[in-house]
Amino acid sequence: MTRLLERSGLGEETCLPPAHHYIPPYRNMEASRAEVELVIFSAIDDLLAKTSIRVDAIDILIVNCSLFAPIPSFTDMIINRYKMRKDIRNVHLSGMGCSAGLISVGLARNFLQVAPRGAHALVVSTETITPNYYVGKERAMLLPNCLFRIGGAAVLLSTSRAQARFRLARVVRTLTGAHDSAYRCVFQEEDGEGHRGINLSKDLMTVAGDALKANITAIGPLVLPASEQLLFAVSFIARRVLNNRRLKPYLPDFRTAFEHFCIHAGGRAVIDELQRSLGLSDQDVEASRMALHRFGNTSSSSVWYELAYIEAKGRMRKGDRVWMIGFGSGFKCNSAAWECIAPPRPAEGPWEESICRYPVDIPEVLKH
C-alpha cells in the first residue's frame, strides 16, 4: 500500500472521508450519507451563491455517482434539502464510472433542447468512497484505495446566454463494452476472502488507449481544422495504397483545435499515456497532474477541478476552446468541447488557498 501511494502522484493534502480515518474503516449507511451531504450540498450551496439563481428556477436535476445508490436517491435528497419544484425532471446515474460527469452534461443538453427557452439544468458529479473501501489484500483491488478521494462539482447549464461563461460545442461518447476485455477491465467483485472492491485489470491502459482512439476518430472531424484533417486523410490513403504497415499513421495535432485540455485525473499512468498518445506538452497536462496531486482522483468531477485550475492561473481567455476527456468502466471514453464566452471574475474556488503553490514538481517516487 505504501509503495503504491509513493508512486501515485498524489500529494499530502488530499481528503479522505472521516470514516476512513479509523482502523478498520467503518462503511455503514449513516457515514456514507454524511459524506454525500458534505460534498454535494457544499457544492450546490456554492453554486447558488455564485450564480444568484433561485432554486425554483431549476427545471432539470441530474446527479451521477457510480458506487453508491441509496434509497431515496441522490436527486431525492437534493430535492428535499432545497425544497425544489414538484415538476422538476430528475435523474440519478449510477455505475457509469469516472466519465459519468460528461454523460450527465450530454443528458442535460438533450433535456434542454426540448425544454422551454431559458430553462436551467443542474448537474452534480461526485463519487462516494465511504462504503467502497477495500479491506482485502489483492494488489489490483488496493489501487483504488490509494487513488480515490473526496470531491464533487455542481454545474449549471442553460439555453439562456445570461451569465453564461462557456458554450457547449460538442459531446462525443464512445463505448467499447462489446469486447469482454474492455467490459471487465474495471470490475466490482469480491476477492477470494469475500471482500468487495474494484478490480483494475492489467490491460486497463491498453483498453483505455483503444477507447481513446475510437473517441478521437469520432470527435476529430468535428473539431480539427481542415489542414489537420487533410494530413490525416493523406496518411491514411498512403498506408492503404502502399500497404505498408511500417508507415506510422499521422497523429492530428489537437492543439490546433483546443487551447486547454482537461484530462481525467485517473492516475499518473493515465495522464502519461494520454500525453504520449496525443503529443501534448507538459503544460498541456499540467492541470491534470496538479489536480491529481492536490485533490486525488475525484472521479467524474476531476475535469471540473482541472478547469478551475486553468482559470485560477489566469490562463483562460475569451474564445479559448477546452477539451474535456473522461474514462469510465464499461469501458467508455467521453469527450466534451467547450468555448469560453466570458473569462472568470475573481471568485472563491477549490484552488483559492493553494494555487499560489502550484505547479509543483512531482517526483517518480514521493517519500511521505
Side-chain angles (χ1 to χ4, degrees):
M1 190 85 160
T2 301
R3 292 180 61 189
L4 290 173
L5 277 170
E6 290 175 345
R7 290 164 173 78
S8 66
L10 274 68
E12 298 182 349
E13 293 183 281
T14 61
C15 296
L16 287 167
H20 290 187
H21 295 188
Y22 294 83
I23 301 177
Y26 57 90
R27 299 169 291 170
N28 57 39
M29 287 292 293
E30 182 181 1
S32 301
R33 288 183 186 275
E35 181 190 340
V36 172
E37 293 175 359
L38 171 66
V39 175
I40 64 175
F41 292 164
S42 298
I44 295 173
D45 288 345
D46 188 45
L47 177 77
L48 295 176
K50 287 180 178 178
T51 61
S52 300
I53 188 173
R54 304 188 318 275
V55 172
D56 60 7
I58 298 174
D59 306 278
I60 300 157
L61 172 63
I62 301 173
V63 183
N64 64 269
C65 180
S66 292
L67 292 172
F68 184 51
I71 300 174
S73 69
F74 279 32
T75 54
D76 296 327
M77 295 168 65
I78 294 171
I79 291 170
N80 177 261
R81 168 66 177 257
Y82 295 96
K83 309 306 178 188
M84 292 180 164
R85 289 170 13 202
K86 295 179 180 179
D87 62 343
I88 188 170
R89 296 183 178 183
N90 64 94
V91 179
H92 175 184
L93 297 177
S94 64
M96 303 296 282
C98 297
S99 67
L102 300 184
I103 295 174
S104 296
V105 167
L107 183 58
R109 178 199 59 182
N110 295 344
F111 274 130
L112 287 169
Q113 286 175 341
V114 297
R117 181 72 180 174
H120 294 86
L122 173 61
V123 174
V124 182
S125 297
T126 189
E127 190 59 79
T128 306
I129 60 177
T130 292
N132 297 290
Y133 191 89
Y134 175 65
V135 295
K137 300 178 181 178
E138 292 289 334
R139 180 184 176 88
M141 300 173 75
L142 282 169
L143 188 55
N145 287 358
C146 300
L147 294 176
F148 283 93
R149 295 294 186 268
I150 283 182
V155 184
L156 189 67
L157 289 86
S158 177
T159 49
S160 169
R161 292 180 64 91
Q163 299 189 58
R165 294 193 40 242
F166 288 89
R167 181 181 69 87
L168 178 61
R170 306 282 182 182
V171 176
V172 176
R173 296 173 55 186
T174 50
L175 174 64
T176 59
H179 303 285
D180 290 344
S181 59
Y183 172 69
R184 295 192 62 89
C185 74
V186 180
F187 207 79
Q188 187 176 31
E189 61 184 6
E190 295 177 340
D191 63 14
E193 298 179 353
H195 300 300
R196 187 177 62 188
I198 305 297
N199 193 325
L200 301 181
S201 166
K202 65 181 186 299
D203 299 324
L204 176 58
M205 295 315 302
T206 301
V207 170
D210 291 341
L212 176 64
K213 290 176 184 176
N215 196 266
I216 287 175
T217 302
I219 196 173
L222 303 175
V223 299
L224 287 169
S227 58
E228 286 296 312
Q229 295 191 47
L230 179 60
L231 289 171
F232 179 79
V234 170
S235 170
F236 179 79
I237 294 171
R239 295 182 78 226
R240 284 296 181 92
V241 171
L242 299 176
N243 196 25
N244 188 346
R245 296 287 182 180
R246 295 180 183 177
L247 286 175
K248 292 184 178 180
Y250 177 72
L251 177 64
D253 186 358
F254 279 90
R255 288 176 295 182
T256 61
F258 299 102
E259 284 73 34
H260 307 287
F261 299 84
C262 297
I263 299 168
H264 167 53
R268 169 178 264 162
V270 173
I271 301 171
D272 289 345
E273 178 63 22
L274 263 74
Q275 180 178 8
R276 183 193 64 80
S277 299
L278 296 174
L280 301 178
S281 68
D282 288 342
Q283 183 167 334
D284 290 330
V285 298
E286 180 184 308
S288 300
R289 293 194 189 281
M290 297 307 109
L292 179 66
H293 181 271
R294 173 61 184 85
F295 297 102
N297 182 347
T298 56
S299 189
S300 57
S301 65
S302 67
V303 291
W304 300 109
Y305 285 90
E306 294 158 22
L307 181 64
Y309 178 88
I310 296 168
E311 293 183 329
K313 279 294 181 184
R315 297 173 183 170
M316 190 66 68
R317 299 289 184 271
K318 182 178 181 180
D320 280 2
R321 297 155 298 177
V322 183
W323 187 12
M324 290 183 172
I325 308 173
F327 295 93
S329 56
F331 192 85
K332 310 173 190 69
C333 178
N334 301 324
S335 290
W338 304 82
E339 179 185 353
C340 179
I341 297 175
R345 291 166 291 186
E348 296 180 357
W351 293 93
E352 182 187 14
E353 297 180 358
S354 58
I355 192 63
C356 59
R357 304 197 304 270
Y358 283 85
V360 297
D361 179 60
I362 304 176
E364 288 296 320
V365 179
L366 179 65
K367 294 297 183 182
H368 292 270

